[in-house]
Amino acid sequence: MPGASRDHLGGWPNRLYIPAVLEPTDAAFMREALRQAEKAFAAEEVPVGCVVVRAGKVIARAQNQVELLKDATAHAEMLAITQAEAAVGDWRLADCDLYVTKEPCPMCAGALVHARIRRLIFGCSDDRGGAAGSMINLLQMPTLNHRCEVTSGVLRDECASLIQSFFRARRAPKS
Ligand SMILES: [Zn+2]
């Protein structure tokens, strides 16, 4: 309206301008992975959580269950990949992205490559054992037939502090 002052809009509640559906972002999906990690923490498992996303939807969620299943391969990523394969009905997850709170180990990084995950997004790095660039980068090996895009450091501090408080509690003398 020509010449109209914006003052008459002043009374409109601001919430009208907030979109009803927020854009899915890396941080939002990492929050989902963190919720899985918190469940692992509560179950006295090393708190790592994971979700797999396809076309903007979570199709698999898992937490580390090594102690519960008495299985050294029951890392969050391995369980989430198996779930995602079942959901898709194929072992090829080429249009799926995997979010995990900690940098994958060599076993999980290998599984990500085998499953052809499009993109890996992780929270905190694992300086000693990480296979997405810290110790080794298995996700982008020129000689393998698949390479993942990698994004690191999403909610890094929250992901790291959960793991640190887990190990701090474990080291504390039991009273
Ligand atoms: Zn692993």
Side-chain angles (χ1 to χ4, degrees):
M1 201 190 304
S5 143
R6 295 189 67 81
D7 288 351
H8 74 279
L9 298 175
W12 287 22
N14 286 332
R15 66 174 177 275
L16 281 181
Y17 300 103
I18 298 172
V21 178
L22 295 173
E23 280 293 298
T25 63
D26 284 349
F29 289 127
M30 190 60 78
R31 288 233 168 272
E32 291 276 319
L34 259 170
R35 264 193 281 278
Q36 298 302 309
E38 282 159 6
K39 286 189 203 168
F41 189 105
E44 298 185 18
E45 302 269 2
V46 175
V48 177
C50 180
V51 297
V52 177
V53 173
R54 185 187 197 216
K57 285 207 180 76
V58 174
I59 60 163
R61 32 171 74 82
Q63 76 236 41
N64 175 37
Q65 294 192 317
V66 168
E67 301 296 340
L68 177 72
L69 300 178
K70 297 184 175 36
D71 179 358
T73 73
H75 288 186
E77 301 95 310
M78 303 293 281
L79 300 172
I81 285 171
T82 302
Q83 262 184 47
E85 288 167 339
V88 171
D90 196 346
W91 59 265
R92 296 174 194 84
L93 301 177
D95 56 356
C96 297
D97 302 331
L98 186 144
Y99 292 75
V100 61
T101 54
K102 183 180 76 67
E103 182 178 358
C105 73
M107 170 182 70
C108 294
L112 263 81
V113 171
H114 282 304
R116 302 192 184 161
I117 291 281
R118 176 173 60 190
R119 185 164 164 252
L120 163 73
I121 303 91
F122 68 88
C124 57
S125 298
D126 178 355
D127 293 338
R128 284 186 290 184
S134 290
M135 176 187 73
I136 189 172
N137 187 352
L138 293 177
L139 295 165
Q140 295 170 335
M141 297 289 279
T143 55
L144 297 183
N145 66 352
H146 178 78
R147 282 165 288 284
C148 304
E149 281 177 53
V150 178
T151 301
S152 64
V154 177
L155 304 185
R156 175 199 291 123
D157 294 347
E158 285 168 70
C159 294
S161 75
L162 194 62
I163 292 173
Q164 283 157 7
S165 49
F166 175 81
F167 285 108
R168 204 175 302 129
R170 226 160 62 158
R171 278 194 303 269
K174 301 249 189 321
S175 54

